[in-house]
Amino acid sequence: MKYGILVVEDNQLNRELLCDWLEVEGYEVCSAKDLKASYDVFAKRIPDAVLLDINLGKDDGLDLLAWMRQKPETREIPVIAVTAHALVAEQERILKAGCRACLSKPIDFQLLREELNRWLQNVKTS
């Protein structure tokens, strides 16, 4: 069974680029442009990992992470932040909030591949 990845990204081009790359890598991909759409995805299927943009227009992507951590069925899902916030202090805030990794835009796809492999190796698919 393929791993399912949810991409939460408000920028359409970035979302399409990530989704296309993930599909080529062999993942099943769902995407959401904002927090509301991401909650809708979780209602249909719980992903194995989440790629999360932190700045979602008026929304803070970390709100999704906080919501996930409150639920037993989503608490352990690896979340990888994908952000334009390259400052060390911002990356520390993101990691402290519970993201497993923080990747700066533009995305280094080799690094993304390594992080996904690292965090998905312990995920049990049903």
Side-chain angles (χ1 to χ4, degrees):
M1 180 179 209
K2 292 181 179 182
Y3 288 113
I5 309 292
L6 169 59
V7 175
V8 184
E9 167 66 67
D10 63 333
N11 180 286
Q12 182 178 347
L13 284 174
N14 289 342
R15 189 171 60 248
E16 288 175 3
L17 179 65
L18 282 167
C19 290
D20 289 348
W21 182 84
L22 289 164
E23 287 173 354
V24 168
E25 290 289 304
Y27 295 103
E28 287 185 12
V29 183
C30 295
S31 67
K33 66 179 182 176
D34 56 28
L35 290 181
K36 182 188 177 314
S38 65
Y39 298 135
D40 292 342
V41 170
F42 273 93
K44 295 173 187 157
R45 178 182 179 208
I46 295 177
D48 296 303
V50 177
L51 296 183
L52 179 63
D53 184 16
I54 300 304
N55 185 2
L56 295 169
K58 63 180 175 31
D59 296 325
D60 182 344
L62 293 179
D63 290 344
L64 175 64
L65 179 64
W67 176 84
M68 289 172 61
R69 295 304 182 243
Q70 292 174 7
K71 302 183 174 312
E73 65 274 17
T74 58
R75 184 175 294 140
E76 299 301 322
I77 294 173
V79 176
I80 298 172
V82 179
T83 182
H85 301 288
L87 299 174
V88 173
E90 182 66 8
Q91 288 184 359
E92 288 174 1
R93 179 182 81 89
I94 291 166
L95 295 173
K96 188 177 279 190
C99 287
R100 303 287 167 83
C102 183
L103 304 180
S104 296
K105 295 177 186 173
I107 295 300
D108 176 337
F109 286 102
Q110 177 60 36
L111 188 56
L112 177 56
R113 180 182 295 119
E114 291 169 8
E115 290 295 342
L116 286 170
N117 288 338
R118 175 181 176 195
W119 294 109
L120 287 172
Q121 69 183 354
N122 296 323
V123 172
K124 295 179 180 73
T125 56
S126 54

